[in-house]
């Protein structure tokens, strides 16, 4: 039995351990066993490894990692998304299927691609496939201070937004958004009324909200924006993407009757694999040509336990290298 080194989760209550694991076998002639070059430690990877993601099956042991950059046997490099939630990409080798892989251009920076594809894809796919952004439309990013949120500001600009507002908690990260394309920023504080007023002043007539927060901040923001809207018949497309502030909201029924609120999500399941795949090459180009700023902090895969438990610097994504 061929063996490899991998990050292995043996308990959902512990970080993965670096240990030997059986090399996975391709399940079809199309699937390739690739050498993994770099894997991002995304929030989605953490929730999968804790058995807490909505796709989790509770199977152990598991190898975490939902995507990676790999090298095929012919030497070509690919970005790929794992097909399997149990045998993921945090290992020397992983399986890459053609419906979830794209070839990388020669100028692609392996660590940057591994760091940025997952967070950047969230807004790119939402604004291309869920609610296609019309040139000149305005976009509010709720939770713009995280990796995905800061990239969403840049993605909205790249895809033709006329006006972009970033809202988030951390004042330093918020201020930095003006240098990457935000026309306006709004600080989210514990004072719900003041935050609602500030959001309404900056973005009452926005066309699209990209929401990474959900929970209380989204609940308050929906009502604050709707009640301040000049034309309540104008569509307000709310795209739910992350839930870092809470898994549920209370939504008064009047919100759906008294304004043209269109609530939808974007993620695995609401957008099909073929639609994702079709968007990835343009996104790789945007990352490779520097149109989306990326800070990747690389660490050896052997140090996965330390990577898991140390505090990440804001705006940085840990990338593990086998
Ligand atoms: N659906 C999809 O396709 C998709 C794809 C990628 C990511 N996601 C999801 O999007 C979310 C963000 O991902 P990420 O990569 O940007 O993570 P990240 O880099 O870790 O950023 C998360 C940010 O959330 C903010 N935050 C945390 N708790 C908050 C709260 N209670 N209120 C307001 N802000 C809060 C923090 O900003 P402050 O420093 O300002 O507090 C933090 O920087 C995650 O839930 C992830 O799973 C979804």
């Amino acid at each position: 039995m061929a063996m490899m080194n991998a990050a292995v989760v043996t308990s959902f209550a512990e970080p993965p351990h670096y240990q030997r694991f059986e090399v996975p076998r391709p399940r079809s002639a199309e699937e390739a066993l690739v050498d993994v070059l770099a894997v991002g430690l995304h929030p989605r990877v953490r929730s999968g490894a804790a058995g807490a993601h909505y796709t989790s099956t509770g199977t152990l042991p598991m190898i975490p990692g939902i995507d990676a950059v790999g090298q095929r046997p012919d030497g070509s490099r690919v970005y790929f998304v794992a097909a399997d939630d149990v045998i993921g990409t945090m290992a020397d080798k992983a399986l890459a299927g053609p419906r979830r892989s794209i070839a990388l251009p020669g100028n692609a920076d392996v660590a940057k691609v591994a760091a940025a594809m997952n967070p950047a894809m969230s807004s790119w796919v939402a604004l291309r496939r869920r609610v296609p952004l019309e040139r000149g439309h305005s976009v509010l990013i709720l939770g713009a201070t995280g990796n995905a949120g800061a990239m969403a500001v840049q993605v909205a600009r790249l895809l033709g937004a006329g006006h972009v507002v970033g809202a988030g908690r951390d004042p330093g990260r918020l201020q930095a958004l003006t240098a990457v394309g935000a026309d306006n920023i709004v600080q989210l504080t514990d004072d719900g009324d003041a935050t609602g007023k500030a959001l309404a002043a900056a973005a009452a007539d926005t066309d699209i909200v990209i929401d990474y927060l959900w929970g209380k901040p989204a609940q308050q923001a929906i009502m604050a924006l709707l009640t301040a809207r000049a034309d309540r018949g104008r569509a307000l497309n709310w795209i739910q993407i992350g839930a870092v502030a809470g898994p549920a909201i209370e939504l008064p029924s009047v919100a759906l009757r008294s304004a043209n609120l269109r609530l939808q999500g974007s993620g695995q399941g609401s957008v099909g694999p073929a639609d994702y795949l079709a968007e990835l090459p343009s996104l790789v180009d945007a990352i490779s040509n520097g149109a989306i700023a990326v800070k990747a902090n690389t660490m050896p895969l052997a140090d996965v336990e330390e990577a898991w438990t140390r505090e990440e610097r804001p705006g940085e994504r840990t990338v593990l290298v086998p």
Side-chain angles (χ1 to χ4, degrees):
M1 179 191 306
M3 300 295 283
M4 63 180 181
N5 295 312
V8 182
V9 177
T10 50
S11 156
F12 289 127
E14 287 173 27
H17 305 293
Y18 186 68
Q19 62 186 61
R20 303 289 286 167
F21 201 86
E22 200 179 328
V23 174
R25 289 208 195 110
R27 288 158 293 195
S28 69
E30 291 181 316
E31 215 170 35
L33 185 65
V34 301
D35 289 327
V36 176
L37 302 178
V39 187
L41 176 44
H42 314 298
R44 163 74 182 81
V45 176
R46 289 181 187 277
S47 64
H53 192 255
Y54 59 86
T55 58
S56 297
T57 57
T59 310
L60 287 177
M62 70 169 286
I63 297 177
I66 55 162
D67 65 351
V69 173
Q71 187 162 34
R72 290 165 152 272
D74 66 4
S76 61
R77 295 179 311 168
V78 288
Y79 167 78
F80 65 103
V81 175
D84 194 312
D85 215 41
V86 178
I87 305 299
T89 53
M90 287 194 168
D92 290 342
K93 292 178 185 294
L95 297 173
R99 279 180 220 89
R100 291 165 175 268
S101 310
I102 55 158
L104 289 182
N107 68 339
D109 179 306
V110 166
K112 283 188 175 175
V113 170
M117 286 299 277
N118 171 266
M121 199 187 296
S122 63
S123 54
W124 185 284
V125 168
L127 293 175
R128 292 265 308 154
R129 298 280 161 168
R130 282 303 262 166
V131 182
L133 180 67
E134 289 176 33
R135 189 156 286 280
H137 266 182
S138 52
V139 179
L140 164 66
I141 319 291
L142 210 52
T145 46
N147 278 284
M151 289 179 193
V153 169
Q154 300 163 73
V155 166
R157 272 274 174 254
L158 278 174
L159 297 181
H163 193 258
V164 181
V165 178
R169 292 190 306 193
D170 182 86
R173 290 276 297 151
L174 207 48
Q175 200 57 50
L177 295 176
T178 55
V180 294
D183 298 293
N184 211 338
I185 50 173
V186 175
Q187 190 175 9
L188 304 177
T189 68
D190 291 338
D191 184 339
D193 287 344
T195 300
K197 281 188 188 131
L199 280 172
D205 295 315
T206 198
D207 298 294
I208 297 179
V209 178
I210 299 278
D211 177 10
Y212 292 101
L213 302 180
W214 208 232
K216 211 165 171 191
Q219 185 174 313
Q220 289 171 337
I222 288 175
M223 294 316 291
L225 294 180
L226 287 183
T227 48
R229 225 160 157 71
D231 174 6
R232 292 201 191 173
R234 178 175 170 173
L236 173 58
N237 279 289
W238 201 282
I239 317 180
Q240 205 299 308
I241 295 187
V244 296
I249 65 166
E250 256 180 41
L251 185 66
S253 64
V254 69
L256 295 162
R257 289 197 305 276
S258 65
N260 189 1
L261 174 64
R262 299 174 181 181
L263 194 54
Q264 60 251 281
S266 182
Q268 256 179 303
S270 55
V271 178
D275 282 346
Y276 268 105
L277 194 65
E279 295 301 333
L280 299 188
S282 319
L283 182 54
V284 167
D285 285 347
I287 292 165
S288 300
N289 68 26
I292 297 174
V294 185
K295 272 194 209 152
N297 177 39
T298 54
M299 290 179 73
L301 180 61
D303 296 340
V304 63
E305 285 190 50
E306 186 197 332
W308 218 264
T309 46
R310 84 189 174 94
E311 203 171 319
E312 271 186 328
R313 280 186 294 268
E316 215 174 73
R317 177 62 29 100
T318 300
V319 171
L320 296 171
V321 178

